[in-house]
Amino acid sequence: MLTQTHPAAPAYRINGTDLRMALTEAYEASSGDTLDLRRRAVSILKTALDMSRASILDRADDQKGGYATAKALAKATDEIISALWDFTLTHVYRARNPTEGERLALLAVGGYGRGELAPYSDLDLLFLRAWKETSHSESVIEFILYTLWDLGLKVGHSSRTVEETLKYAKSDHTIMTAVLEHRLIAGDTELAQNLEDRLNHDGLKSHAFDFVAAKLEERDQRHVKAGMTRFVVEPNIKDGKGGLRDLHTLYWIAKYLTGSASKDTPNTPDMLDVILTDKERRIFMRAFDFLWKVRIIMHTAAGRGEDRLTFDLQPEVARRMGFIDREGEPNVERFMRRYFVVAKEIGALTRTFCTKLETQQAKPLARLSSLIQSGIMNLTRADHPGFTVIGGRLSVNSPDIFQKSPVAMFMLFKMADRLELDLHPDAFTAIARNLDLVTPSLRRNPEAARLFLDLLVRGKNPYKTLSMMSETGLLGRYIPEFGRIVAQTQFNMYHAYTVDEHTLRAIEIIHGIDTGIYKEEHPLASVIMPQLVDKESLYLAMLLHDTGKGGESGQEIGGEIAARKACERLGVEDWKVDQVAWLVRHHLVLSDYAQKRDVSDPETVAAFAHIVETPERLRLLLILTVADIRAVGPGVWNAWKGQLMRDLFDATESAFRGGRGSDAVASVREDIQQRAHARRVQLSENDAEMAAWLETMDESYLFSFSPEEIKAHAVLVRNAGGAPAVALRIDTVRNATAFSISAEDRTGLFADLARCFSNLGGNVVGAQVFTSSTGQALDVFYVQDSTGKPFAHDDPPRQKHAQTALEAAAHGRLPEALTWKSPFAARTAAFAIAPTVVFDDDSNANVTIIEVSGRDRPGLLADIVEVMAKSHIDIASAHIDCYGERAVDAFYVADHYRKAQLSNGLKQSLKKSLLAVLDKPAQAPKRNLARAKASLAR
């Protein structure tokens, strides 16, 4: 339900008679000047419109639903426009005996023609003329349009004759769609009837084939633009896949095919009943009403026409829709789950609808000929005698086929994968209606398990096949642990997809690595994939890795429990159950160590090796992690993360070769020293000065950069001669500008450099800190601008200014701070983020590792390191990362005076200071919208 946030005003409904009387009185009191008349009309009409809209929206939960509210808003607008029409034709440009050229009708078209309006929808109007444009009709149209614009309405309009309207409609399917939904508001009824008759006889009964094809092509293009999957976490509820436009498309096609250009709307039975069953029609109207209610709330919450359900709107919409927290699942995630279930239902409706069109030969389809279809069945034995190919898709002969053999449901998908065919909607329906056959007995059936695992591990296209299986509901019913994450969202900005869609995409990436598709992008994963002893463990772990999300036991522990249950039911061997469960429990550990720890530190590597235990687990974990991160969403994976993981992998392999415990640490240290020596020799060949400089740099530096970057650093340091010096380049891998700063090390240097970037309007997205044995610092910062692009990438003067400012900052002189804000501030304000500070003294005996987490914002890194500088803490290395709205940074630090780990007293005071800067309030949103706790799940 829509929730009232303030006492409702008395109900107000526009009285057309009273409104016209007020306009007449305004006319009589006016000077007769058209500008004066318009000003008076606007004052009266705006008051009526605003009061009516406010009354409707305040009582939106008294309506039957979102669609009823949309109709009420359209009806109120009708009253305003029809009163304006009468005022214009009666008092402003009256034609007592209109000639043929002065006959006019005003029609609503498009969405407004359907009788639907959101609070900030455009009004599409057609001024229908009987003849060519005259000075009278031109004056009338101009007066009405200017008045509507003065009312603050967005109006799209055209002025045409009946012949012109038909001509344009026949040549442009977009215009035909709008005209199909015409509705007379005011004016000449004979003109409007003439258009309707001509459409019914000339427009709708011809070109049906082309119209249907064009609308479906338009839908496909719209999906490409909005995102091909319906499971994106910030969906466009109007144009996205599974949105309102998909329902409208079905309605338009039904209207066209039934030859109806009447005033029907989606809740009139005539058109939809021709195409849909009673059950399908109920699903249609339920989805239609739900999406309309969401859209109306979005418009009122945003204060503008907004159709993308962004993070900042989701908590407010969830609250107003009446969703509450339940069983540990926040109301916003429950609401979004409901949205995606509706989107899924719309997808099923569309699939069924299009099949019926094909049966009627209304949709052009590059289908297989009957000869080729029969050839498929003849050349490859059917997995079941009840399967058949229809229109190039796999179907069933009878909807009752699975009653005798429920295992045949898995045979159907196995055959679809083997022949690389889609499922026919009849097959979808047959499976959906027989899901009650998925009993505990079937879940433990060895043949069903064999077919399922064969699809998962050895299928030609596991993503496509498992997606179809999930669409039918079979996957979630057969693997209940997966069923619990279907349509599940995580309220954070890190993930781009729902949990189930992310999982299936990750399986697709593993399959791509397995088949050699990603040899160049993921060379190490591609090399070690064939070395795996058991790929089944990998695929099962990927399928189940997020099944603990949203549970009381937490993501990792809950996932491990769920994985054990699922694998045991599938009849997996005990050792393999343990392997899958371990992978699920530890599926985040490799990325955590690679991105938040110093992978050149022998003790860190040894600690990671102790967790992993075996080379096989290491290989499995690397591939699992690559696929998991890459499937999060576009732009999350990059070559830099890949390099960190390869470095950790190589170092851990060395630890395994050297044994366990202290032997492992020594082995890693020896391996690092050997590789560092080889790197120094390679880089300093015939260059004594270079060799001398490299000897002053720690091993971790040598493995952090490419040979080209190290040589550039050497030139920078050499040319600087001990003075501060800055070099920069555009790093396409990180999509940031890389600033290399050489300066004499001192307490607070890193803090001053970080503050300098903040004052210049830069956002530091990564940083590396190194100090030579001679006391010369070499700090590298990766910086973006406020739009997320490399800092000053197209502005050489700004680059030069930044270099000068950084050289001054190295001496402690900071530039004046710029006032700037992140373009994502409004979106991130919707998240309630609890800051954390964690100290780790166990991973390294010489330093304390501090991991901090909080809301990402401009200047956050500078604030954090300034706190450390004021506490006289030296930073040995920094690992900067971000997960959507949340910054997660790790620092290797030591007490400046004691050159040792931090004391307990220093930790307590430091934690208090760090929490203060991490918990700075977010930018206040422009509107008072609800907030929700950000999900910590990764």
Side-chain angles (χ1 to χ4, degrees):
M1 290 177 58
L2 293 167
T3 305
Q4 291 181 333
T5 55
H6 54 81
Y12 176 82
R13 179 175 294 178
I14 296 175
N15 184 306
T17 302
D18 292 347
L19 186 60
R20 284 164 175 78
M21 288 178 60
L23 289 169
T24 299
E25 291 174 1
Y27 166 74
E28 293 171 349
S30 74
S31 63
D33 177 71
T34 55
L35 289 177
D36 184 47
L37 286 170
R38 195 170 85 217
R39 179 181 58 79
R40 292 173 182 269
V42 167
S43 176
I44 294 168
L45 294 173
K46 185 167 180 57
T47 299
L49 179 62
D50 289 349
M51 290 179 65
S52 177
R53 285 163 57 96
S55 179
I56 292 169
L57 294 173
D58 280 346
R59 287 168 173 76
D61 49 356
D62 293 337
Q63 306 285 351
K64 294 180 180 178
Y67 183 55
T69 303
K71 286 179 67 65
L73 290 170
K75 184 173 177 57
T77 307
D78 287 353
E79 292 283 1
I80 295 296
I81 295 178
S82 61
L84 172 60
W85 176 275
D86 291 345
F87 176 73
T88 305
L89 272 295
T90 302
H91 298 303
V92 186
Y93 295 108
R94 184 171 187 176
R96 295 181 182 276
N97 297 300
T99 64
E100 185 69 14
E102 292 173 334
R103 291 175 61 199
L104 270 177
L106 179 56
L107 279 66
V109 295
Y112 182 35
R114 285 193 305 273
E116 307 164 6
L117 274 184
Y120 293 93
S121 291
D122 293 354
L123 302 180
D124 294 323
L125 300 176
L126 170 62
F127 291 91
L128 195 62
R129 309 188 313 269
W131 200 245
K132 64 182 180 181
E133 194 85 73
T134 66
S135 59
H136 176 266
S137 63
E138 187 176 351
S139 297
V140 169
I141 293 171
E142 182 181 275
F143 186 87
I144 290 174
L145 288 176
Y146 274 95
T147 304
L148 293 175
W149 289 330
D150 288 348
L151 287 172
L153 300 173
K154 294 186 290 183
V155 182
H157 68 282
S158 58
S159 172
R160 298 181 180 125
T161 64
V162 172
E163 291 294 337
E164 289 170 342
T165 302
L166 288 171
K167 174 185 174 184
Y168 287 116
K170 288 179 180 179
S171 63
D172 188 326
H173 294 104
T174 302
I175 297 176
M176 174 62 82
T177 303
V179 174
L180 271 177
E181 301 172 313
H182 74 272
R183 182 169 54 86
L184 178 66
I185 297 178
D188 196 308
T189 56
E190 290 185 15
L191 264 180
Q193 188 60 49
N194 185 18
L195 175 63
E196 187 165 319
D197 292 342
R198 293 289 301 279
L199 276 171
N200 286 330
H201 289 87
D202 302 337
L204 295 174
K205 290 189 176 180
S206 60
H207 310 297
F209 186 88
D210 292 338
F211 178 80
V212 172
K215 296 315 296 179
L216 293 173
E217 175 65 23
E218 178 186 284
R219 179 202 63 181
D220 293 343
Q221 292 177 356
R222 174 165 43 80
H223 288 171
V224 170
K225 184 177 181 180
M228 280 304 293
T229 177
R230 64 178 66 93
F231 300 113
V232 291
V233 293
E234 288 187 297
N236 186 313
I237 71 159
K238 180 181 176 183
D239 293 327
K241 196 170 186 179
L244 273 170
R245 273 288 180 261
D246 281 0
L247 292 176
H248 288 149
T249 298
L250 303 188
Y251 166 67
W252 293 327
I253 293 173
K255 185 160 189 167
Y256 199 102
L257 293 177
T258 55
S260 173
S262 64
K263 302 173 185 177
D264 292 340
T265 57
N267 69 338
T268 50
D270 296 344
M271 290 163 297
L272 293 178
D273 283 357
V274 173
I275 303 293
L276 303 177
T277 65
D278 288 344
K279 181 180 179 181
E280 290 165 347
R281 193 176 177 283
R282 287 194 297 272
I283 293 172
F284 181 104
M285 286 311 305
R286 186 171 64 237
F288 197 74
D289 190 69
F290 175 83
L291 291 178
W292 259 115
K293 179 172 280 191
V294 171
R295 189 180 185 212
I296 287 167
I297 295 174
M298 286 170 61
H299 278 217
T300 56
R304 65 181 186 279
E306 177 59 75
D307 293 318
R308 190 176 177 216
L309 189 49
T310 50
F311 290 122
D312 54 318
L313 293 176
Q314 288 175 13
E316 181 70 11
V317 176
R319 182 185 68 82
R320 295 197 198 181
M321 290 287 287
F323 286 84
I324 59 174
D325 297 350
R326 182 177 295 169
E327 296 178 356
E329 187 174 20
N331 70 329
V332 64
E333 293 184 7
R334 291 187 63 236
F335 159 64
M336 291 304 297
R337 186 193 289 265
R338 175 61 187 153
Y339 170 85
F340 288 117
V341 168
V342 169
K344 187 176 178 180
E345 290 175 340
I346 293 173
L349 272 181
T350 303
R351 193 163 46 243
T352 301
F353 188 94
C354 289
T355 302
K356 293 178 180 179
L357 290 181
E358 291 168 19
T359 303
Q360 300 172 14
Q361 296 184 341
K363 176 185 175 184
L365 176 68
R367 64 177 75 178
L368 300 175
S369 68
S370 58
L371 177 63
I372 297 176
Q373 292 173 35
S374 61
I376 288 177
M377 301 303 290
N378 290 334
L379 293 174
T380 60
R381 182 179 60 83
D383 293 11
H384 191 282
F387 299 163
T388 184
V389 177
I390 301 175
R393 286 172 294 188
L394 190 60
S395 190
V396 292
N397 290 328
S398 167
D400 300 325
I401 184 176
F402 304 120
Q403 292 288 337
K404 296 180 180 178
S405 175
V407 173
M409 289 189 282
F410 297 94
M411 294 179 183
L412 183 75
F413 285 103
K414 181 74 171 85
M415 186 172 177
D417 179 75
R418 180 164 56 85
L419 300 181
E420 300 180 79
L421 296 176
D422 287 330
L423 283 194
H424 191 280
D426 289 348
F428 267 94
T429 302
I431 290 177
R433 289 176 179 174
N434 287 284
L435 289 177
D436 58 344
L437 298 175
V438 184
T439 60
S441 175
L442 182 64
R443 293 189 186 108
R444 293 184 178 274
N445 183 291
E447 179 62 12
R450 184 190 67 79
L451 289 166
F452 176 74
L453 291 173
D454 202 42
L455 277 172
L456 174 65
V457 183
R458 290 167 288 278
K460 287 185 177 180
N461 190 339
Y463 171 75
K464 178 182 177 182
T465 308
L466 292 173
S467 293
M468 289 193 296
M469 192 178 286
S470 183
E471 286 279 329
T472 64
L474 177 60
L475 180 57
R477 188 66 68 94
Y478 181 63
I479 307 289
E481 294 78 10
F482 184 87
R484 283 193 285 272
I485 63 171
V486 169
Q488 182 181 358
T489 63
Q490 301 145 96
F491 188 59
N492 59 45
M493 292 174 62
Y494 181 57
H495 292 88
Y497 308 108
T498 56
V499 181
D500 55 326
E501 177 68 10
H502 158 75
T503 298
L504 297 180
R505 285 173 178 258
I507 291 171
E508 180 183 35
I509 292 166
I510 289 180
H511 179 72
I513 294 171
D514 199 4
T515 53
I517 294 175
Y518 295 117
K519 283 184 178 179
E520 293 187 5
E521 293 176 77
H522 303 295
L524 179 58
S526 299
V527 167
I528 65 176
M529 187 78 183
Q531 301 172 13
L532 295 180
V533 174
D534 176 57
K535 293 180 182 178
E536 194 171 279
S537 297
L538 177 63
Y539 280 94
L540 278 169
M542 195 79 267
L543 177 69
L544 300 166
H545 79 287
D546 274 346
T547 52
K549 284 186 173 177
E552 294 181 358
S553 301
Q555 181 177 353
E556 291 92 345
I557 296 175
E560 179 186 13
I561 295 170
R564 285 189 178 278
K565 289 181 179 179
C567 290
E568 287 167 0
R569 267 200 323 272
L570 288 168
V572 174
E573 299 97 315
D574 290 346
W575 69 268
K576 195 178 296 184
V577 173
D578 292 338
Q579 186 93 296
V580 173
W582 184 91
L583 286 169
V584 173
R585 172 72 177 268
H586 297 90
H587 74 272
L588 296 173
V589 71
L590 190 148
S591 62
D592 282 345
Y593 266 81
Q595 296 177 70
K596 300 178 185 178
R597 295 294 184 264
D598 183 356
V599 298
S600 65
D601 172 32
E603 293 184 57
T604 297
V605 174
F608 175 72
H610 180 72
I611 295 172
V612 176
E613 293 188 326
T614 70
E616 175 72 0
R617 280 184 176 177
L618 178 63
R619 289 188 287 267
L620 287 165
L621 198 57
L622 179 98
I623 299 170
L624 190 78
T625 305
V626 168
D628 190 20
I629 295 177
R630 189 181 176 111
V632 166
V636 175
W637 175 268
N638 58 44
W640 170 247
K641 291 180 181 177
Q643 185 59 55
L644 289 174
M645 291 180 191
R646 286 193 294 273
D647 289 344
L648 179 58
F649 182 92
D650 291 341
T652 308
E653 274 200 324
S654 172
F656 289 144
R657 288 193 299 269
R660 298 289 186 264
S662 58
D663 290 339
V665 176
S667 175
V668 172
R669 182 174 289 112
E670 182 181 351
D671 179 72
I672 289 174
Q673 290 173 349
Q674 289 176 355
R675 289 192 290 129
H677 175 73
R679 176 63 67 92
R680 288 189 177 100
V681 171
Q682 174 193 2
L683 291 169
S684 60
E685 187 176 4
N686 300 322
D687 188 340
E689 191 173 357
M690 177 71 161
W693 179 70
L694 289 175
E695 285 296 331
T696 69
M697 302 300 292
D698 192 68
E699 285 89 351
S700 62
Y701 168 77
L702 298 172
F703 302 123
S704 298
F705 302 96
S706 68
E708 292 74 22
E709 290 172 315
I710 291 175
K711 290 176 181 178
H713 292 160
V715 171
L716 175 70
V717 174
R718 185 182 304 171
N719 293 341
V726 180
L728 63 86
R729 64 180 180 85
I730 305 301
D731 189 326
T732 55
V733 170
R734 289 184 177 236
N735 190 37
T737 302
F739 287 86
S740 301
I741 302 116
S742 173
E744 185 178 350
D745 195 22
R746 61 176 174 82
T747 302
L749 173 64
F750 185 66
D752 284 344
L753 295 176
R755 178 61 64 193
C756 180
F757 283 115
S758 176
N759 289 359
L760 292 171
N763 180 35
V764 178
V765 295
Q768 293 168 284
V769 184
F770 304 96
T771 304
S772 70
S773 59
T774 60
Q776 194 74 9
L778 179 62
D779 295 346
V780 181
F781 291 81
Y782 301 91
V783 188
Q784 294 178 342
D785 61 20
S786 61
T787 66
K789 295 179 180 179
F791 181 86
H793 64 284
D794 58 352
D795 191 346
R798 193 180 184 196
Q799 293 178 5
K800 183 62 178 176
H801 173 67
Q803 287 178 289
T804 303
L806 287 165
E807 289 171 0
H811 289 298
R813 301 190 301 271
L814 294 175
E816 183 177 349
L818 296 177
T819 301
W820 67 289
K821 64 180 181 180
S822 168
F824 310 112
R827 291 171 67 206
T828 61
F831 297 95
I833 300 173
T836 61
V837 177
V838 178
F839 297 95
D840 175 11
D841 285 333
D842 298 328
S843 295
N844 189 298
N846 300 314
V847 298
T848 296
I849 301 173
I850 307 176
E851 188 172 312
V852 300
S853 173
R855 182 188 306 279
D856 192 26
R857 58 175 172 79
L860 175 62
L861 177 62
D863 288 345
I864 292 171
V865 295
E866 277 184 359
V867 166
M868 295 182 185
K870 290 176 181 177
S871 299
H872 304 289
I873 292 172
D874 293 335
I875 299 174
S877 69
H879 307 268
I880 313 302
D881 209 346
C882 187
Y883 298 91
E885 73 289 341
R886 183 184 295 273
V888 181
D889 302 337
F891 303 88
Y892 281 59
V893 303
D895 187 309
H896 176 72
Y897 299 110
R898 297 172 51 244
K899 306 299 181 186
Q901 291 182 337
L902 308 187
S903 64
N904 289 333
L906 183 54
K907 288 178 188 176
Q908 290 178 5
S909 62
L910 182 62
K911 183 174 183 177
K912 182 178 179 180
S913 300
L914 286 173
L915 287 174
V917 300
L918 288 166
D919 201 26
K920 280 188 176 180
Q923 175 184 321
K926 294 180 180 179
R927 301 175 67 84
N928 186 25
L929 302 178
R931 301 171 73 206
K933 184 178 179 181
S935 170
L936 292 172
R938 290 193 287 127

